[in-house]
Structure formats: C-alpha cells, structure tokens
Amino acid sequence: MNSTDLPRLTVRSPADLIAAVPYLLGFHPADSVVVVALSGSRITFAARGDLPGEGDPHEPAGHIAAVTAQQGADSATVIGYGTAARVTPAVDAIRVALADAGLTVLDALRVTDGRWWSYVCAQPECCPPEGTPYDPLASAVPAAAVFAGQVALPDRAALAAQVAPAGGATMRQAAERADRRLTDLLAAAPSTDLLGGRALRTSGVAALRASRGRHRDGERLTDDELAWLCLLLTHLPVRDHAWEHTDGRDEDTAFWAEVLRRAEPELIAAPGSLLAFAAWRAGQGALAAVALERVLTEHPDYSLALLLEDLLRRGVPPSRLDGWPATGLPRARRRAKRRARRRSR
C-alpha cells in the first residue's frame, strides 16, 4: 500500500475523481483497489493496494480501512480497477471495513476499459448497467495536477524503473577501488581513533558534501565518487549524518535516486532508504515504496528501511515530521534499534 500528502484538486464528479487518482498516486493503477479519503470536501489521503488473489479479501480490507481511519478523514470513496470478478469482492470488503471504522462511504466504483460503474448508485439514468464512459482529458483535473507539479506515470512498473539498477562493470571496478581506499584509510587512522570511527565519519561528511555540491551544479558523479560515498554510508554515523541532511526537496530525491540506481547491490541499503525517506517527505509515497522494495529484496533486515516501510504501511503522513530533523531523528533511531533487536531474537 502506498499513500501521499496530496495536492489540492477540485473534484466534482466520479469522472473527475477517476482522472485525479493517477496524480494522487503518481502512476495509473491497474489490478488495484484505491481508497480516497476526505475530511469535509477536501481529499486528505489516498492509498492503493493490489487486488487480492484467491484468498480472503477481508484481511487487506481491514488494514487499509484502519489506516484510512487514522488520517482524520470522515468519508471515503473506494475505486477498484479490473474485472468485476476480482474487483467486486475487494470493494465490498473495504466498504464494510470502512463503515465499521466509522467512515461514510460516499461511493464505490469499478473502472475498466474507459468506463466506470457504481456499486452505490442504482439509477440507470446516471449509472447505466453498461457503465459510464469517461475521458480523463475532458476533466480539468489533470491540467491542475500537472500545474501543481504532480506526475502520473503509465503504471507502477514505470515507477519501479526509476530505481532500477544502472551500474555495470565499471561500477563494480569502482567499488573494488573503494574497498582498497577504505583499507588504506583505516590503516592510516591513529591508534587513538577506535576502529577508525572518526576517520570514517570525517571522510563520509566530506564525501557527502562534495557529492551533493557537484550534483547541485548539474555534474554527474564519477563512478569512484559514487562508490566511495556508498561504501562510507555503510558506517552508521555517516548514514545518520546524511539522514539528518535529507528532507523532501527535489534535489534530495534526485540525488539519492541517482546514487541508488548506480550503486552496487551490496551498497544500496543506505542510499535506497534515504531516497525512500526523501520521497515520503515530498509526498511521493509510491516512489518511496518501490525504493524500499528494492532495498529490502537485497537487505531484508536493514533497520532504517524497515522503519520507513512501517511508516508507509501505517499511512503516517509526512507532515508528522515537520521541523525535521530536530523533531524526529532521536525517536526514529530508537524505533529502528528496537525493530532490529526484535528481528534478531
């Protein structure tokens, strides 16, 4: 499931809402169920999940309803994308779960092949049994969303492609050179520097500052610069320094996306988690989700990725960390450590 802090979009009809959903999520959903929650007349939250398989649809329905109820919403609309055989059980389960959670279900829709059907309206003059055709381009919503800086990619695969590996043999060679450089750094550290901790942090802070500066100037990092930064980020004080200096700015998201794409698989845990954090803070929950999927596939026990995955799963709004890092890092560190201890038992 993914969620996001949302732009202000004016929605006056089911067709407008259907046109808005790809911009609320960041991509056009397929084989999905989406809940759009409102507080009064304002959309406050959107969440998407895959349509359930052959199992019980009530378990994911209960989770998505509980998360939606935590957003301060008082009503919601459910939209299923796919065939009636798959969509109807999922939508019915979520409608019941939302009602049980105290939310008013304004409408429940199914969208397939350029038509929508309502599970709530039974009036053939406005909701014909053959479905209502809609044209997203006829709605003012996409233009307003684009003006607000929102993007709707063709599908979730296109989103995942933004974090797909793009390293290659030259990055592998750069990672090997970084290993040798690290060995030399630790060998040169004074005996008073326990395990070379100060040398590592000093080098990490310098590498991050230089890399961020070059990226802001529009310069592409060399393979050696990127490999060295990624290796130093495996040292937690360096990772936490980078975390403290990462927020939801466009430059943060672009920087960590480049580092994640080019990094060697064994070094993606920190940059991928930092990209997920930047994307979540920017309201790009879907991008955060695909970044975390990539990290946790390679590093299933990485505590920061698990912490961020939990934030997304519970639908915690990015506004909860307004004032970052002063308001969030100590508590986040404690939560990450507790989760790591639980998984090690």
Side-chain angles (χ1 to χ4, degrees), residues 203-218:
S203 295
V205 170
L208 180 67
R209 183 184 301 115
S211 298
R212 295 296 300 261
R214 281 172 50 77
H215 188 268
R216 279 193 298 271
D217 292 340

Side-chain angles (χ1 to χ4, degrees), residues 9-60:
L9 300 176
T10 301
V11 174
R12 296 188 174 91
S13 67
D16 279 346
L17 183 60
I18 293 166
V21 163
Y23 296 92
L24 301 178
L25 299 177
F27 61 95
H28 290 264
D31 296 323
S32 302
V33 61
V34 175
V35 173
V36 179
L38 298 92
S39 177
S41 60
R42 184 181 173 227
I43 295 174
T44 59
F45 179 77
R48 185 207 71 89
D50 294 332
L51 287 175
E54 297 295 328
D56 183 4
H58 292 82
E59 182 176 348

Side-chain angles (χ1 to χ4, degrees), residues 312-334:
L312 289 181
R313 186 183 60 82
R314 293 189 294 110
V316 176
S319 57
R320 188 73 60 83
L321 245 61
D322 285 352
W324 168 264
T327 58
L329 187 53
R331 180 181 299 176
R333 278 184 178 138
R334 291 195 296 270

